[in-house]
Structures are given as C-alpha cells and as structure tokens.
Amino acid sequence: MFSERHNLMFAIGLVFTLSSIIAPVYLYFFQGLFSIADNLNHSWYFTPLTPGYIMLAIGFGLIGVGLFIYVFLVSKLVKKIITRTVLVIFTTASIVLMYFSLHSYLYMTTDGILLNDKFSLKEELYKWEDIEAASFIGIGNGHKVIKLTYTNGVELELQDAVYKNNMKKILKKHEVAIGVSNENDRK
C-alpha cells in the first residue's frame, strides 16, 4: 500500500512537524542568511518580531501536516488531482507564512528605527528627530516598555532592552525627555 516514496514523505512530514517547535530559534539566523534587512551592517540593534517566530513555526508545521494528509489520502486511494491539490495548498500556505516571518523585524540605525511588521512588504523608517515624547511604562513583574510618540501621531512600544542599546544616547542627542509611568496610565 505504501511505497518507499510515501514512507519517506511521512518521515519528512514528521521531521517538519517536530522541527516546528524549534524552528523559531533559527529565525534570526535565517534573516541574516537571506540578507532580509538591507542596512543590517549599519545597525546597532536587530530583532525579529514575535509574530515572525509564530509564523515560522506554523509554516514548518503546515508542511508537515500537509505531507501527513497527502500520505493519508494516497493510502485511501483518493484521486491524484485531489491529493496533489491538498499538498500544493499546504505548501503554498507555509511558504507564504515563512516569507512573512522572514520579513518581520525591527532594527535601529543612527537614522532611526526601521520596522517591518507582520504581513508587510515594505519596512518603515521612524526617524529619531521625529520623536515628540518617550516614556517608560511598567507592565508588571519588573518588565517595562518604552513608548515613543512621533510628531505624526504614531506610537511605538518597544521592550526596555532596546533602550539599553544606544537609544538613551540618541534620545538625549535629539533632546527628547524620557518620562516614567505605570501600566494603569496606559488605559
């Protein structure tokens, strides 16, 4: 009933499904490998965004699940056109998710913060000189975010670890005062 090819596809599906658990660990490496961020050589802080990790894990999982379903349908002697269509749908969905996971990042240069959010094809530059206000917000358990408000009304919230990587110096250079508030002030 199963050929060697189907056993191999099942094994590959199992590998992809199990590797979806650890795939997010490699996101930073993949982004550097494919030179996703253009000015990465000139940046002093780079991080993939959380949705990127999630999309990469789901993409790996979809490949595995697609291969499992393909092997199952072949074993039930379903028409080739249906089995191949299912495989193409799962593979296409996973490739799209992986593409967007690789293009979900934030990095900082001396020009500003470059952000490529989830499902975005183009990064946006938020210049340092356009910052109107900055404040630390305590969110509990000793964690904080820094909230940057721009003159055009855009607000960015970043982990406080970002602040420790040169941001303090740049904000002072552009004469931006840094306030402190707590989680209740956000509501």
Side-chain angles (χ1 to χ4, degrees):
M1 186 178 302
F2 284 119
S3 67
E4 259 187 59
R5 184 174 141 239
H6 294 117
N7 287 337
L8 178 65
M9 291 180 84
F10 184 83
I12 291 171
L14 185 62
V15 167
F16 269 100
T17 303
L18 292 175
S19 67
S20 70
I21 297 167
I22 61 168
V25 173
Y26 299 110
L27 183 59
Y28 186 85
F29 169 73
F30 289 149
Q31 287 176 328
L33 181 69
F34 296 117
S35 300
I36 300 302
D38 296 331
N39 298 324
L40 207 50
N41 296 340
H42 306 290
S43 70
W44 45 265
Y45 182 81
F46 174 81
T47 186
L49 300 176
T50 304
Y53 291 113
I54 295 167
M55 288 187 289
L56 187 65
I58 292 171
F60 268 75
L62 279 178
I63 290 176
V65 169
L67 288 171
F68 288 151
I69 292 173
Y70 175 80
V71 171
F72 175 75
L73 292 175
V74 167
S75 73
K76 298 297 182 189
L77 302 175
V78 177
K79 292 181 181 178
K80 277 188 178 183
I81 188 77
I82 294 172
T83 56
R84 289 185 178 164
T85 302
V86 166
L87 188 59
V88 166
I89 289 170
F90 274 89
T91 304
T92 303
S94 67
I95 288 170
V96 168
L97 281 172
M98 286 186 210
Y99 175 83
F100 282 115
S101 74
L102 291 174
H103 289 82
S104 177
Y105 56 83
L106 173 139
Y107 69 100
M108 297 180 193
T109 67
T110 53
D111 298 328
I113 299 172
L114 287 114
L115 177 69
N116 199 354
D117 214 352
K118 61 185 177 290
F119 303 116
S120 174
L121 295 175
K122 189 176 181 214
E123 65 187 17
E124 285 211 35
L125 172 65
Y126 297 96
K127 294 186 175 188
W128 296 116
E129 54 266 8
D130 294 339
I131 296 175
E132 189 174 89
S135 62
F136 274 115
I137 303 170
I139 57 174
N141 297 337
H143 297 287
K144 297 176 187 168
V145 294
I146 185 163
K147 180 178 174 182
L148 303 174
T149 306
Y150 286 84
T151 53
N152 62 0
V154 172
E155 292 181 348
L156 290 179
E157 287 189 7
L158 308 170
Q159 301 286 332
D160 67 339
V162 173
Y163 180 73
K164 295 172 187 165
N165 292 305
N166 280 347
M167 188 186 285
K168 182 178 183 179
K169 201 183 314 178
I170 288 178
L171 290 176
K172 280 186 179 182
K173 177 182 169 187
H174 292 287
E175 299 174 358
V176 176
I178 302 166
V180 178
S181 61
N182 62 38
E183 188 175 52
N184 297 331
D185 296 342
R186 295 170 73 181
K187 296 175 182 170

